[in-house]
PDB file of all heavy atoms in Angstrom:
ATOM      1  N   ARG A 316     141.672  68.072 144.680  1.00 96.00           N
ATOM      2  CA  ARG A 316     140.386  68.267 144.081  1.00 96.00           C
ATOM      3  C   ARG A 316     140.442  68.368 142.575  1.00 96.00           C
ATOM      4  O   ARG A 316     139.347  68.412 141.883  1.00 96.00           O
ATOM      5  CB  ARG A 316     139.686  69.527 144.623  1.00 96.00           C
ATOM      6  CG  ARG A 316     139.334  69.454 146.062  1.00 96.00           C
ATOM      7  CD  ARG A 316     138.824  70.749 146.547  1.00 96.00           C
ATOM      8  NE  ARG A 316     138.741  70.729 148.015  1.00 96.00           N
ATOM      9  CZ  ARG A 316     137.732  71.149 148.676  1.00 96.00           C
ATOM     10  NH1 ARG A 316     136.732  71.690 148.078  1.00 96.00           N
ATOM     11  NH2 ARG A 316     137.730  71.045 149.987  1.00 96.00           N
ATOM     12  N   LEU A 317     141.552  68.423 142.000  1.00 94.00           N
ATOM     13  CA  LEU A 317     141.716  68.709 140.535  1.00 94.00           C
ATOM     14  C   LEU A 317     141.074  67.618 139.687  1.00 94.00           C
ATOM     15  O   LEU A 317     140.394  67.939 138.699  1.00 94.00           O
ATOM     16  CB  LEU A 317     143.184  68.754 140.185  1.00 94.00           C
ATOM     17  CG  LEU A 317     143.560  69.390 138.841  1.00 94.00           C
ATOM     18  CD1 LEU A 317     142.947  70.776 138.670  1.00 94.00           C
ATOM     19  CD2 LEU A 317     145.059  69.401 138.682  1.00 94.00           C
ATOM     20  N   PRO A 318     141.138  66.300 140.009  1.00 95.00           N
ATOM     21  CA  PRO A 318     140.422  65.354 139.177  1.00 95.00           C
ATOM     22  C   PRO A 318     138.893  65.560 139.126  1.00 95.00           C
ATOM     23  O   PRO A 318     138.279  65.417 138.066  1.00 95.00           O
ATOM     24  CB  PRO A 318     140.775  63.991 139.847  1.00 95.00           C
ATOM     25  CG  PRO A 318     142.039  64.258 140.486  1.00 95.00           C
ATOM     26  CD  PRO A 318     142.003  65.662 140.962  1.00 95.00           C
ATOM     27  N   GLN A 319     138.341  65.914 140.226  1.00 95.00           N
ATOM     28  CA  GLN A 319     136.862  66.204 140.348  1.00 95.00           C
ATOM     29  C   GLN A 319     136.553  67.415 139.448  1.00 95.00           C
ATOM     30  O   GLN A 319     135.511  67.426 138.755  1.00 95.00           O
ATOM     31  CB  GLN A 319     136.389  66.503 141.770  1.00 95.00           C
ATOM     32  CG  GLN A 319     136.463  65.329 142.645  1.00 95.00           C
ATOM     33  CD  GLN A 319     136.168  65.675 144.078  1.00 95.00           C
ATOM     34  OE1 GLN A 319     136.400  66.790 144.500  1.00 95.00           O
ATOM     35  NE2 GLN A 319     135.690  64.724 144.807  1.00 95.00           N
ATOM     36  N   ILE A 320     137.388  68.436 139.502  1.00 94.00           N
ATOM     37  CA  ILE A 320     137.150  69.668 138.731  1.00 94.00           C
ATOM     38  C   ILE A 320     137.222  69.360 137.246  1.00 94.00           C
ATOM     39  O   ILE A 320     136.405  69.822 136.428  1.00 94.00           O
ATOM     40  CB  ILE A 320     138.150  70.727 139.111  1.00 94.00           C
ATOM     41  CG1 ILE A 320     137.911  71.193 140.569  1.00 94.00           C
ATOM     42  CG2 ILE A 320     138.089  71.943 138.159  1.00 94.00           C
ATOM     43  CD1 ILE A 320     138.991  72.054 141.094  1.00 94.00           C
ATOM     44  N   ILE A 321     138.186  68.567 136.831  1.00 95.00           N
ATOM     45  CA  ILE A 321     138.335  68.191 135.451  1.00 95.00           C
ATOM     46  C   ILE A 321     137.133  67.360 134.985  1.00 95.00           C
ATOM     47  O   ILE A 321     136.585  67.600 133.891  1.00 95.00           O
ATOM     48  CB  ILE A 321     139.662  67.401 135.185  1.00 95.00           C
ATOM     49  CG1 ILE A 321     140.822  68.320 135.398  1.00 95.00           C
ATOM     50  CG2 ILE A 321     139.721  66.798 133.843  1.00 95.00           C
ATOM     51  CD1 ILE A 321     142.195  67.648 135.420  1.00 95.00           C
ATOM     52  N   ARG A 322     136.684  66.359 135.745  1.00 96.00           N
ATOM     53  CA  ARG A 322     135.563  65.594 135.361  1.00 96.00           C
ATOM     54  C   ARG A 322     134.252  66.437 135.210  1.00 96.00           C
ATOM     55  O   ARG A 322     133.517  66.313 134.303  1.00 96.00           O
ATOM     56  CB  ARG A 322     135.259  64.486 136.411  1.00 96.00           C
ATOM     57  CG  ARG A 322     136.210  63.277 136.231  1.00 96.00           C
ATOM     58  CD  ARG A 322     135.715  62.074 137.005  1.00 96.00           C
ATOM     59  NE  ARG A 322     135.750  62.365 138.440  1.00 96.00           N
ATOM     60  CZ  ARG A 322     136.812  62.078 139.239  1.00 96.00           C
ATOM     61  NH1 ARG A 322     137.901  61.617 138.719  1.00 96.00           N
ATOM     62  NH2 ARG A 322     136.770  62.366 140.504  1.00 96.00           N
ATOM     63  N   ALA A 323     134.098  67.397 136.166  1.00 96.00           N
ATOM     64  CA  ALA A 323     132.962  68.308 136.129  1.00 96.00           C
ATOM     65  C   ALA A 323     133.055  69.198 134.897  1.00 96.00           C
ATOM     66  O   ALA A 323     132.006  69.396 134.219  1.00 96.00           O
ATOM     67  CB  ALA A 323     132.868  69.118 137.377  1.00 96.00           C
ATOM     68  N   TRP A 324     134.189  69.737 134.585  1.00 95.00           N
ATOM     69  CA  TRP A 324     134.332  70.543 133.388  1.00 95.00           C
ATOM     70  C   TRP A 324     134.061  69.773 132.087  1.00 95.00           C
ATOM     71  O   TRP A 324     133.361  70.251 131.219  1.00 95.00           O
ATOM     72  CB  TRP A 324     135.710  71.174 133.352  1.00 95.00           C
ATOM     73  CG  TRP A 324     135.958  71.959 132.046  1.00 95.00           C
ATOM     74  CD1 TRP A 324     136.858  71.675 131.125  1.00 95.00           C
ATOM     75  CD2 TRP A 324     135.322  73.177 131.708  1.00 95.00           C
ATOM     76  NE1 TRP A 324     136.809  72.612 130.137  1.00 95.00           N
ATOM     77  CE2 TRP A 324     135.848  73.582 130.463  1.00 95.00           C
ATOM     78  CE3 TRP A 324     134.349  73.948 132.287  1.00 95.00           C
ATOM     79  CZ2 TRP A 324     135.439  74.703 129.809  1.00 95.00           C
ATOM     80  CZ3 TRP A 324     133.905  75.109 131.671  1.00 95.00           C
ATOM     81  CH2 TRP A 324     134.405  75.487 130.435  1.00 95.00           C
ATOM     82  N   ARG A 325     134.475  68.516 132.024  1.00 96.00           N
ATOM     83  CA  ARG A 325     134.218  67.664 130.860  1.00 96.00           C
ATOM     84  C   ARG A 325     132.743  67.467 130.672  1.00 96.00           C
ATOM     85  O   ARG A 325     132.127  67.407 129.636  1.00 96.00           O
ATOM     86  CB  ARG A 325     134.973  66.400 130.883  1.00 96.00           C
ATOM     87  CG  ARG A 325     136.436  66.496 130.648  1.00 96.00           C
ATOM     88  CD  ARG A 325     137.183  65.218 130.716  1.00 96.00           C
ATOM     89  NE  ARG A 325     138.589  65.393 130.454  1.00 96.00           N
ATOM     90  CZ  ARG A 325     139.451  64.544 130.728  1.00 96.00           C
ATOM     91  NH1 ARG A 325     139.176  63.354 131.322  1.00 96.00           N
ATOM     92  NH2 ARG A 325     140.763  64.745 130.468  1.00 96.00           N
ATOM     93  N   ARG A 326     132.053  67.230 131.841  1.00 95.00           N
ATOM     94  CA  ARG A 326     130.599  66.964 131.842  1.00 95.00           C
ATOM     95  C   ARG A 326     129.863  68.194 131.380  1.00 95.00           C
ATOM     96  O   ARG A 326     128.882  68.150 130.586  1.00 95.00           O
ATOM     97  CB  ARG A 326     130.144  66.556 133.245  1.00 95.00           C
ATOM     98  CG  ARG A 326     128.740  65.993 133.218  1.00 95.00           C
ATOM     99  CD  ARG A 326     128.402  65.333 134.592  1.00 95.00           C
ATOM    100  NE  ARG A 326     128.772  66.095 135.809  1.00 95.00           N
ATOM    101  CZ  ARG A 326     129.627  65.733 136.695  1.00 95.00           C
ATOM    102  NH1 ARG A 326     130.299  64.578 136.581  1.00 95.00           N
ATOM    103  NH2 ARG A 326     129.879  66.498 137.745  1.00 95.00           N
ATOM    104  N   VAL A 327     130.312  69.367 131.807  1.00 94.00           N
ATOM    105  CA  VAL A 327     129.646  70.608 131.378  1.00 94.00           C
ATOM    106  C   VAL A 327     129.871  70.821 129.879  1.00 94.00           C
ATOM    107  O   VAL A 327     128.920  71.184 129.160  1.00 94.00           O
ATOM    108  CB  VAL A 327     130.237  71.856 132.149  1.00 94.00           C
ATOM    109  CG1 VAL A 327     129.873  73.160 131.515  1.00 94.00           C
ATOM    110  CG2 VAL A 327     129.772  71.788 133.597  1.00 94.00           C
TER     111      VAL A 327
END
Side-chain angles (χ1 to χ4, degrees):
R316 294 176 191 223
L317 196 57
Q319 293 174 334
I320 293 169
I321 292 171
R322 281 193 296 271
W324 176 245
R325 287 180 180 164
R326 192 167 48 243
V327 166

